[in-house]
Each structure stands twice: as structure tokens, then as C-alpha cells.
Amino acid sequence: MSLPRVLTVAGSDSGGGAGVQADLKTMLALGAHGMSVITAVTAQNSLGVQGAWELPVAAVRAQYRSVVDDIGVQAVKTGMLGSAELVEAVAELISGTDVPAVVDPVGVSKHGDALLAASALDSVRTRLLPAATVATPNLDEVTQLTGIAVESEGDLRRAAAAVLEFGPRWVLVKGGHLAGDAVDLLTDGAEEHWLRAPRHDNRHTHGTGCTLASAIATGLAKGLAVPEAVGAAKEYVTGAIAAGFPLGAGIGPVDHGWRLRG
């Protein structure tokens, strides 16, 4: 039986903790063949993003067509897209590919560095989110997209409803920035799934959003239903945070291979 094939459309993280590097590690760890479309190159480490350079839309299109038309994919995950032009091009590409799409609407890095131009927000709302099987915004991204500030667990339902208005089939609002346990809400507007995990008190959280979205995409590529794929991804990323390791002087990466080291 061939491996599930999963494509990430995202930026490169030179430090290896987030972005395409985190995506490919996650896919490998979970038993999929990972492929990549690079949208931007960043100079990035545990302290932050020192620089970012977008690739031309033509280069992004060419990478996508090269992979999809020859090798084929069973799920697509998007991450850092940067500009309105890239957002719109990628939205068109994934809309024309009949497989599940996990959209991580990356707006800022773990260190607070902007990774999406303000002018691109409307394109995310009107073009990219409608193409999503699952959208996975964190609380900062929810505020960017909807204007809703989530300050307690009770706000998660309202935030999820606002994101669903933009058209994704499911939304996973990640409540990791709230106090207490790490609580996320997955909903399609009809059913709700609350996902809870203990909060690990460490600084090894770089790449958690990329890792979670890639794990969801891998589950979908294997044929799991959305709630099952999200539940398995949450378990995987929680273990990866717990097993994370100190690299550099700032926020270290999660351990993508924690299960392989059993």
C-alpha cells in the first residue's frame, strides 16, 4: 500500500522548528509522504524572524502543479502566504484540487513577527477560508480575521461562529493562549468537539500551529473524518510539546519525532 501523500504550501523556517520543515517532519512521523510548495524564505531562529522574502506567484504555481499533476496528493495544508497575491493564487489552486484542505491562516509568528500583510486579510476571508475543509486559527488570528478578542473559554464558541461565516466547512479555534488547560473548539456549526489537554510549562512551543495543521492534514489523507483527524493531531502535538527540547536562547521547537523515540 502506498503512503498517504500530503502537500504543504508554506514558508521555510531556517531554524527548522516551524513552517515547511515542521510540516514535513510531522508528515514523516505520522506515516505520510510529505511534499512542499515554498511560498517564502525566512531567516528565523529561536529568538524570532530576522527577515522574510516572498517567492513569486509563478514559482508557487509551478511548484504546486509539478507535484499535484505528477505525484498527486490526498490532502493539502497551507501556512504562511504573506501577500494578497499569494493568498489568491493558492486559494485558486486548492479550490481546483479535489482533496481536503487544512488552512492555517498564519498571521504572526510565535515571537510576534508579522507574517501576513494587512492587505492580504480580506483575501484570506473571501478566497482562502471558503476553500478550507478545516481552518485552524489561533486566538491572535481570530482577532485579526473577525475583530473578536477571545479572553476566556466562553468566547471560543462566538469566535468559531464568526470564522465559519467566511465559509470553511469546519473551524478549530485554538485556545492555547488562554490560562489553564490547553482547550480548543472544533465545530462545523452543527456539532461541537471540545479538545482539552494539560498545559506543559516549558518554552518548547515553536511550530505548534504548523505541526497541528499538518497532523490534521495527514489524518485526513489517511481517510479519517475531521473530528478523528483533529483529535489524533491534538494528541500528537501535545506529546511533541511535552518532549520538546531547548535549542537556542529563545522559544525552542516541539519534538516531532517523540513517538519514534518511544
Side-chain angles (χ1 to χ4, degrees), residues 53-79:
W53 299 266
E54 246 178 56
L55 266 71
V57 168
V60 171
R61 285 186 185 278
Q63 292 174 81
Y64 191 98
R65 292 264 61 94
S66 177
V67 170
V68 172
D69 294 347
D70 173 48
I71 301 170
V73 297
Q74 286 154 315
V76 179
K77 173 259 175 186
T78 71

Side-chain angles (χ1 to χ4, degrees), residues 201-215:
D201 186 20
N202 65 36
R203 61 183 179 92
H204 317 310
T205 56
H206 185 47
T208 49
C210 307
T211 299
L212 181 67
S214 294

Side-chain angles (χ1 to χ4, degrees), residues 51-143:
W53 299 266
E54 246 178 56
L55 266 71
V57 168
V60 171
R61 285 186 185 278
Q63 292 174 81
Y64 191 98
R65 292 264 61 94
S66 177
V67 170
V68 172
D69 294 347
D70 173 48
I71 301 170
V73 297
Q74 286 154 315
V76 179
K77 173 259 175 186
T78 71
M80 176 185 174
L81 299 180
S83 68
E85 292 77 17
L86 274 178
V87 169
E88 290 171 13
V90 170
E92 179 186 340
L93 289 165
I94 64 175
S95 295
T97 308
D98 190 21
V99 297
V102 179
V103 169
D104 186 15
V106 175
V108 294
S109 76
K110 182 68 67 178
H111 308 87
D113 301 290
L115 299 176
L116 181 72
S119 58
L121 279 171
D122 194 53
S123 296
V124 172
R125 296 182 189 105
T126 61
R127 301 289 297 277
L128 189 61
L129 289 174
T133 307
V134 188
T136 63
N138 64 27
L139 300 187
D140 290 335
E141 289 153 0
V142 163
T143 302

Side-chain angles (χ1 to χ4, degrees), residues 150-214:
V150 178
E151 295 172 352
S152 69
E153 192 175 312
D155 295 329
L156 290 175
R157 185 178 284 119
R158 185 166 62 99
V163 177
L164 282 173
E165 287 290 318
F166 298 124
R169 283 178 49 203
W170 291 82
V171 62
L172 177 69
V173 178
K174 300 176 294 190
H177 294 170
L178 296 174
D181 286 350
V183 180
D184 306 325
L185 172 60
L186 172 70
T187 181
D188 64 352
E191 56 181 278
E192 288 184 350
H193 302 268
W194 293 84
L195 298 96
R196 299 177 184 275
R199 184 177 302 280
H200 295 288
D201 186 20
N202 65 36
R203 61 183 179 92
H204 317 310
T205 56
H206 185 47
T208 49
C210 307
T211 299
L212 181 67
S214 294

